[in-house]
mmCIF file of all heavy atoms in Angstrom:
data_model
loop_
_atom_site.group_PDB
_atom_site.id
_atom_site.type_symbol
_atom_site.label_atom_id
_atom_site.label_comp_id
_atom_site.label_asym_id
_atom_site.label_seq_id
_atom_site.Cartn_x
_atom_site.Cartn_y
_atom_site.Cartn_z
ATOM 1 N N LEU K 95 -15.999 163.817 4.911
ATOM 2 C CA LEU K 95 -15.616 162.419 4.752
ATOM 3 C C LEU K 95 -14.559 162.398 3.659
ATOM 4 O O LEU K 95 -14.793 162.885 2.548
ATOM 5 C CB LEU K 95 -16.808 161.561 4.348
ATOM 6 C CG LEU K 95 -16.499 160.086 4.051
ATOM 7 C CD1 LEU K 95 -16.105 159.355 5.327
ATOM 8 C CD2 LEU K 95 -17.688 159.393 3.398
ATOM 9 N N TYR K 96 -13.398 161.832 3.956
ATOM 10 C CA TYR K 96 -12.247 161.897 3.048
ATOM 11 C C TYR K 96 -11.894 160.497 2.567
ATOM 12 O O TYR K 96 -11.795 159.564 3.367
ATOM 13 C CB TYR K 96 -11.058 162.528 3.769
ATOM 14 C CG TYR K 96 -11.305 163.975 4.125
ATOM 15 C CD1 TYR K 96 -12.042 164.308 5.263
ATOM 16 C CD2 TYR K 96 -10.848 165.006 3.318
ATOM 17 C CE1 TYR K 96 -12.312 165.636 5.580
ATOM 18 C CE2 TYR K 96 -11.106 166.334 3.633
ATOM 19 C CZ TYR K 96 -11.838 166.632 4.763
ATOM 20 O OH TYR K 96 -12.100 167.956 5.069
ATOM 21 N N LEU K 97 -11.704 160.371 1.254
ATOM 22 C CA LEU K 97 -11.335 159.099 0.641
ATOM 23 C C LEU K 97 -9.833 159.116 0.376
ATOM 24 O O LEU K 97 -9.335 159.968 -0.369
ATOM 25 C CB LEU K 97 -12.091 158.882 -0.665
ATOM 26 C CG LEU K 97 -13.616 159.050 -0.625
ATOM 27 C CD1 LEU K 97 -14.205 158.702 -1.993
ATOM 28 C CD2 LEU K 97 -14.242 158.191 0.462
ATOM 29 N N ALA K 98 -9.123 158.189 1.000
ATOM 30 C CA ALA K 98 -7.670 158.137 0.886
ATOM 31 C C ALA K 98 -7.257 156.914 0.073
ATOM 32 O O ALA K 98 -8.066 156.046 -0.254
ATOM 33 C CB ALA K 98 -7.050 158.074 2.283
ATOM 34 N N GLY K 99 -5.965 156.850 -0.248
ATOM 35 C CA GLY K 99 -5.421 155.670 -0.918
ATOM 36 C C GLY K 99 -5.227 155.881 -2.407
ATOM 37 O O GLY K 99 -5.864 156.723 -3.041
ATOM 38 N N GLY K 100 -4.319 155.080 -2.958
ATOM 39 C CA GLY K 100 -3.946 155.238 -4.361
ATOM 40 C C GLY K 100 -5.047 154.890 -5.340
ATOM 41 O O GLY K 100 -5.107 155.451 -6.432
ATOM 42 N N ILE K 101 -5.942 153.969 -4.979
ATOM 43 C CA ILE K 101 -6.972 153.554 -5.936
ATOM 44 C C ILE K 101 -7.869 154.725 -6.302
ATOM 45 O O ILE K 101 -8.135 154.977 -7.481
ATOM 46 C CB ILE K 101 -7.800 152.383 -5.373
ATOM 47 C CG1 ILE K 101 -6.924 151.145 -5.181
ATOM 48 C CG2 ILE K 101 -8.966 152.064 -6.312
ATOM 49 C CD1 ILE K 101 -7.635 149.970 -4.528
ATOM 50 N N VAL K 102 -8.336 155.456 -5.295
ATOM 51 C CA VAL K 102 -9.231 156.579 -5.590
ATOM 52 C C VAL K 102 -8.472 157.711 -6.273
ATOM 53 O O VAL K 102 -8.978 158.334 -7.218
ATOM 54 C CB VAL K 102 -9.952 157.063 -4.311
ATOM 55 C CG1 VAL K 102 -8.982 157.595 -3.279
ATOM 56 C CG2 VAL K 102 -10.987 158.128 -4.646
ATOM 57 N N ALA K 103 -7.241 157.986 -5.832
ATOM 58 C CA ALA K 103 -6.471 159.094 -6.416
ATOM 59 C C ALA K 103 -6.143 158.852 -7.890
ATOM 60 O O ALA K 103 -6.044 159.796 -8.679
ATOM 61 C CB ALA K 103 -5.187 159.321 -5.619
ATOM 62 N N LYS K 104 -5.987 157.572 -8.263
ATOM 63 C CA LYS K 104 -5.638 157.241 -9.646
ATOM 64 C C LYS K 104 -6.867 157.063 -10.540
ATOM 65 O O LYS K 104 -6.726 156.891 -11.752
ATOM 66 C CB LYS K 104 -4.798 155.960 -9.676
ATOM 67 C CG LYS K 104 -3.416 156.129 -9.048
ATOM 68 C CD LYS K 104 -2.711 154.794 -8.923
ATOM 69 C CE LYS K 104 -1.370 154.950 -8.214
ATOM 70 N NZ LYS K 104 -0.720 153.641 -7.955
ATOM 71 N N ASN K 105 -8.048 157.088 -9.946
ATOM 72 C CA ASN K 105 -9.282 156.870 -10.716
ATOM 73 C C ASN K 105 -10.326 157.927 -10.381
ATOM 74 O O ASN K 105 -11.510 157.630 -10.223
ATOM 75 C CB ASN K 105 -9.833 155.469 -10.427
ATOM 76 C CG ASN K 105 -8.908 154.360 -10.878
ATOM 77 O OD1 ASN K 105 -8.873 153.994 -12.051
ATOM 78 N ND2 ASN K 105 -8.149 153.811 -9.937
ATOM 79 N N ILE K 106 -9.885 159.184 -10.314
ATOM 80 C CA ILE K 106 -10.750 160.270 -9.867
ATOM 81 C C ILE K 106 -11.988 160.412 -10.751
ATOM 82 O O ILE K 106 -13.087 160.684 -10.264
ATOM 83 C CB ILE K 106 -9.963 161.595 -9.803
ATOM 84 C CG1 ILE K 106 -9.013 161.558 -8.598
ATOM 85 C CG2 ILE K 106 -10.903 162.794 -9.692
ATOM 86 C CD1 ILE K 106 -8.167 162.795 -8.443
ATOM 87 N N ASP K 107 -11.834 160.218 -12.041
ATOM 88 C CA ASP K 107 -12.976 160.419 -12.948
ATOM 89 C C ASP K 107 -14.161 159.518 -12.593
ATOM 90 O O ASP K 107 -15.319 159.916 -12.751
ATOM 91 C CB ASP K 107 -12.559 160.171 -14.400
ATOM 92 C CG ASP K 107 -11.793 161.352 -14.980
ATOM 93 O OD1 ASP K 107 -11.654 162.370 -14.271
ATOM 94 O OD2 ASP K 107 -11.326 161.253 -16.127
ATOM 95 N N TYR K 108 -13.881 158.298 -12.130
ATOM 96 C CA TYR K 108 -14.964 157.393 -11.751
ATOM 97 C C TYR K 108 -15.788 157.964 -10.593
ATOM 98 O O TYR K 108 -16.975 157.671 -10.451
ATOM 99 C CB TYR K 108 -14.417 156.029 -11.350
ATOM 100 C CG TYR K 108 -14.216 155.071 -12.502
ATOM 101 C CD1 TYR K 108 -12.942 154.710 -12.913
ATOM 102 C CD2 TYR K 108 -15.302 154.531 -13.180
ATOM 103 C CE1 TYR K 108 -12.751 153.822 -13.971
ATOM 104 C CE2 TYR K 108 -15.128 153.646 -14.233
ATOM 105 C CZ TYR K 108 -13.848 153.298 -14.627
ATOM 106 O OH TYR K 108 -13.670 152.426 -15.674
ATOM 107 N N PHE K 109 -15.151 158.763 -9.745
ATOM 108 C CA PHE K 109 -15.821 159.322 -8.585
ATOM 109 C C PHE K 109 -16.448 160.686 -8.882
ATOM 110 O O PHE K 109 -17.517 161.000 -8.377
ATOM 111 C CB PHE K 109 -14.830 159.463 -7.431
ATOM 112 C CG PHE K 109 -14.336 158.148 -6.893
ATOM 113 C CD1 PHE K 109 -13.281 157.483 -7.497
ATOM 114 C CD2 PHE K 109 -14.934 157.571 -5.788
ATOM 115 C CE1 PHE K 109 -12.828 156.268 -7.010
ATOM 116 C CE2 PHE K 109 -14.490 156.353 -5.289
ATOM 117 C CZ PHE K 109 -13.434 155.698 -5.903
ATOM 118 N N GLN K 110 -15.762 161.484 -9.692
ATOM 119 C CA GLN K 110 -16.235 162.848 -9.935
ATOM 120 C C GLN K 110 -17.209 162.956 -11.098
ATOM 121 O O GLN K 110 -18.181 163.708 -11.026
ATOM 122 C CB GLN K 110 -15.030 163.760 -10.213
ATOM 123 C CG GLN K 110 -14.388 164.325 -8.965
ATOM 124 C CD GLN K 110 -13.693 165.626 -9.269
ATOM 125 O OE1 GLN K 110 -12.894 165.712 -10.195
ATOM 126 N NE2 GLN K 110 -13.996 166.650 -8.506
ATOM 127 N N LYS K 111 -16.949 162.239 -12.183
ATOM 128 C CA LYS K 111 -17.729 162.431 -13.399
ATOM 129 C C LYS K 111 -18.868 161.426 -13.557
ATOM 130 O O LYS K 111 -19.784 161.649 -14.338
ATOM 131 C CB LYS K 111 -16.806 162.373 -14.619
ATOM 132 C CG LYS K 111 -15.785 163.508 -14.643
ATOM 133 C CD LYS K 111 -14.918 163.460 -15.884
ATOM 134 C CE LYS K 111 -13.902 164.614 -15.906
ATOM 135 N NZ LYS K 111 -13.040 164.551 -17.100
ATOM 136 N N SER K 112 -18.792 160.317 -12.842
ATOM 137 C CA SER K 112 -19.857 159.317 -12.898
ATOM 138 C C SER K 112 -20.749 159.479 -11.674
ATOM 139 O O SER K 112 -20.263 159.764 -10.579
ATOM 140 C CB SER K 112 -19.257 157.910 -12.926
ATOM 141 O OG SER K 112 -20.257 156.940 -12.651
ATOM 142 N N PRO K 113 -22.059 159.289 -11.823
ATOM 143 C CA PRO K 113 -22.966 159.420 -10.669
ATOM 144 C C PRO K 113 -23.006 158.183 -9.785
ATOM 145 O O PRO K 113 -23.675 158.184 -8.755
ATOM 146 C CB PRO K 113 -24.323 159.641 -11.339
ATOM 147 C CG PRO K 113 -24.219 158.878 -12.631
ATOM 148 C CD PRO K 113 -22.790 159.044 -13.079
ATOM 149 N N VAL K 114 -22.282 157.109 -10.169
ATOM 150 C CA VAL K 114 -22.424 155.828 -9.475
ATOM 151 C C VAL K 114 -22.061 155.944 -8.002
ATOM 152 O O VAL K 114 -22.818 155.507 -7.127
ATOM 153 C CB VAL K 114 -21.562 154.735 -10.156
ATOM 154 C CG1 VAL K 114 -21.552 153.461 -9.314
ATOM 155 C CG2 VAL K 114 -22.087 154.444 -11.549
ATOM 156 N N PHE K 115 -20.903 156.519 -7.693
ATOM 157 C CA PHE K 115 -20.463 156.591 -6.295
ATOM 158 C C PHE K 115 -21.495 157.310 -5.439
ATOM 159 O O PHE K 115 -21.936 156.800 -4.408
ATOM 160 C CB PHE K 115 -19.102 157.298 -6.195
ATOM 161 C CG PHE K 115 -18.654 157.525 -4.773
ATOM 162 C CD1 PHE K 115 -17.944 156.557 -4.101
ATOM 163 C CD2 PHE K 115 -18.964 158.709 -4.107
ATOM 164 C CE1 PHE K 115 -17.555 156.747 -2.781
ATOM 165 C CE2 PHE K 115 -18.572 158.912 -2.791
ATOM 166 C CZ PHE K 115 -17.862 157.929 -2.122
ATOM 167 N N MET K 116 -21.890 158.510 -5.864
ATOM 168 C CA MET K 116 -22.800 159.306 -5.044
ATOM 169 C C MET K 116 -24.203 158.730 -4.989
ATOM 170 O O MET K 116 -24.902 158.876 -3.983
ATOM 171 C CB MET K 116 -22.850 160.748 -5.539
ATOM 172 C CG MET K 116 -21.887 161.674 -4.852
ATOM 173 S SD MET K 116 -22.156 161.710 -3.061
ATOM 174 C CE MET K 116 -20.697 162.588 -2.536
ATOM 175 N N ARG K 117 -24.627 158.060 -6.053
ATOM 176 C CA ARG K 117 -25.956 157.450 -6.033
ATOM 177 C C ARG K 117 -26.033 156.400 -4.925
ATOM 178 O O ARG K 117 -27.015 156.324 -4.188
ATOM 179 C CB ARG K 117 -26.268 156.840 -7.397
ATOM 180 C CG ARG K 117 -27.758 156.560 -7.606
ATOM 181 C CD ARG K 117 -28.104 156.353 -9.056
ATOM 182 N NE ARG K 117 -27.357 155.254 -9.646
ATOM 183 C CZ ARG K 117 -26.641 155.341 -10.756
ATOM 184 N NH1 ARG K 117 -26.549 156.480 -11.410
ATOM 185 N NH2 ARG K 117 -25.991 154.292 -11.232
ATOM 186 N N TYR K 118 -24.977 155.601 -4.797
ATOM 187 C CA TYR K 118 -24.951 154.592 -3.736
ATOM 188 C C TYR K 118 -24.677 155.231 -2.375
ATOM 189 O O TYR K 118 -25.204 154.765 -1.359
ATOM 190 C CB TYR K 118 -23.900 153.517 -4.051
ATOM 191 C CG TYR K 118 -24.412 152.447 -4.983
ATOM 192 C CD1 TYR K 118 -24.392 152.620 -6.363
ATOM 193 C CD2 TYR K 118 -24.951 151.262 -4.479
ATOM 194 C CE1 TYR K 118 -24.871 151.645 -7.226
ATOM 195 C CE2 TYR K 118 -25.429 150.274 -5.328
ATOM 196 C CZ TYR K 118 -25.390 150.471 -6.700
ATOM 197 O OH TYR K 118 -25.880 149.499 -7.548
ATOM 198 N N PHE K 119 -23.856 156.284 -2.354
ATOM 199 C CA PHE K 119 -23.557 156.963 -1.090
ATOM 200 C C PHE K 119 -24.826 157.517 -0.453
ATOM 201 O O PHE K 119 -25.021 157.397 0.765
ATOM 202 C CB PHE K 119 -22.560 158.103 -1.345
ATOM 203 C CG PHE K 119 -22.227 158.905 -0.114
ATOM 204 C CD1 PHE K 119 -21.262 158.462 0.778
ATOM 205 C CD2 PHE K 119 -22.871 160.104 0.148
ATOM 206 C CE1 PHE K 119 -20.957 159.197 1.923
ATOM 207 C CE2 PHE K 119 -22.574 160.847 1.288
ATOM 208 C CZ PHE K 119 -21.614 160.391 2.170
ATOM 209 N N GLU K 120 -25.679 158.105 -1.250
ATOM 210 C CA GLU K 120 -26.874 158.770 -0.714
ATOM 211 C C GLU K 120 -28.039 157.807 -0.460
ATOM 212 O O GLU K 120 -29.054 158.203 0.117
ATOM 213 C CB GLU K 120 -27.336 159.863 -1.686
ATOM 214 C CG GLU K 120 -26.371 161.022 -1.817
ATOM 215 C CD GLU K 120 -26.859 162.064 -2.818
ATOM 216 O OE1 GLU K 120 -27.932 161.851 -3.415
ATOM 217 O OE2 GLU K 120 -26.154 163.070 -3.012
ATOM 218 N N SER K 121 -27.904 156.562 -0.871
ATOM 219 C CA SER K 121 -29.031 155.624 -0.792
ATOM 220 C C SER K 121 -29.277 155.155 0.639
ATOM 221 O O SER K 121 -28.355 154.759 1.354
ATOM 222 C CB SER K 121 -28.752 154.416 -1.692
ATOM 223 O OG SER K 121 -29.799 153.480 -1.609
ATOM 224 N N SER K 122 -30.527 155.213 1.054
ATOM 225 C CA SER K 122 -30.924 154.705 2.362
ATOM 226 C C SER K 122 -32.394 154.303 2.314
ATOM 227 O O SER K 122 -33.178 154.856 1.542
ATOM 228 C CB SER K 122 -30.717 155.758 3.450
ATOM 229 O OG SER K 122 -31.250 155.319 4.691
ATOM 230 N N TYR K 123 -32.761 153.363 3.161
ATOM 231 C CA TYR K 123 -34.167 152.955 3.239
ATOM 232 C C TYR K 123 -35.012 154.010 3.946
ATOM 233 O O TYR K 123 -36.238 153.965 3.899
ATOM 234 C CB TYR K 123 -34.287 151.602 3.949
ATOM 235 C CG TYR K 123 -34.199 151.660 5.458
ATOM 236 C CD1 TYR K 123 -35.326 151.413 6.246
ATOM 237 C CD2 TYR K 123 -32.991 151.965 6.103
ATOM 238 C CE1 TYR K 123 -35.251 151.466 7.626
ATOM 239 C CE2 TYR K 123 -32.908 152.011 7.474
ATOM 240 C CZ TYR K 123 -34.035 151.766 8.239
ATOM 241 O OH TYR K 123 -33.943 151.819 9.606
ATOM 242 N N ARG K 124 -34.349 154.987 4.611
ATOM 243 C CA ARG K 124 -35.055 156.059 5.296
ATOM 244 C C ARG K 124 -34.784 157.384 4.596
ATOM 245 O O ARG K 124 -33.628 157.773 4.407
ATOM 246 C CB ARG K 124 -34.593 156.157 6.761
ATOM 247 C CG ARG K 124 -34.912 154.946 7.617
ATOM 248 C CD ARG K 124 -36.387 154.843 7.947
ATOM 249 N NE ARG K 124 -36.837 155.959 8.768
ATOM 250 C CZ ARG K 124 -36.817 155.929 10.107
ATOM 251 N NH1 ARG K 124 -36.389 154.849 10.755
ATOM 252 N NH2 ARG K 124 -37.253 156.967 10.785
ATOM 253 N N LYS K 125 -35.840 158.097 4.217
ATOM 254 C CA LYS K 125 -35.690 159.362 3.499
ATOM 255 C C LYS K 125 -34.903 160.385 4.318
ATOM 256 O O LYS K 125 -34.071 161.120 3.784
ATOM 257 C CB LYS K 125 -37.063 159.936 3.144
ATOM 258 C CG LYS K 125 -36.997 161.177 2.260
ATOM 259 C CD LYS K 125 -38.394 161.637 1.862
ATOM 260 C CE LYS K 125 -38.319 162.794 0.870
ATOM 261 N NZ LYS K 125 -37.659 163.974 1.448
ATOM 262 N N ASN K 126 -35.131 160.406 5.635
ATOM 263 C CA ASN K 126 -34.414 161.402 6.442
ATOM 264 C C ASN K 126 -32.924 161.088 6.517
ATOM 265 O O ASN K 126 -32.093 161.998 6.653
ATOM 266 C CB ASN K 126 -35.021 161.510 7.848
ATOM 267 C CG ASN K 126 -34.995 160.205 8.608
ATOM 268 O OD1 ASN K 126 -34.986 159.129 8.026
ATOM 269 N ND2 ASN K 126 -34.992 160.285 9.934
ATOM 270 N N MET K 127 -32.545 159.804 6.392
ATOM 271 C CA MET K 127 -31.128 159.457 6.365
ATOM 272 C C MET K 127 -30.506 159.847 5.025
ATOM 273 O O MET K 127 -29.360 160.293 4.973
ATOM 274 C CB MET K 127 -30.931 157.962 6.609
ATOM 275 C CG MET K 127 -31.303 157.513 8.009
ATOM 276 S SD MET K 127 -30.284 158.284 9.302
ATOM 277 C CE MET K 127 -31.443 159.510 9.961
#
């Protein structure tokens, strides 16, 4: 899954160094999901 666009490219630290993005990415009401 690829994130494109200037917003993400200019704010990489928010995505790589903070757990916020991945915490929400992995969240699901189903454990298997």
Side-chain angles (χ1 to χ4, degrees):
L95 176 69
Y96 294 81
L97 309 184
I101 296 176
V102 63
K104 293 172 184 174
N105 296 279
I106 287 179
D107 282 357
Y108 273 110
F109 293 84
Q110 274 206 309
K111 296 182 179 179
S112 166
V114 172
F115 174 87
M116 267 302 169
R117 197 163 58 233
Y118 277 84
F119 178 83
E120 293 179 359
S121 178
S122 173
Y123 79 110
R124 296 288 296 270
K125 186 176 186 298
N126 59 334
M127 293 298 104

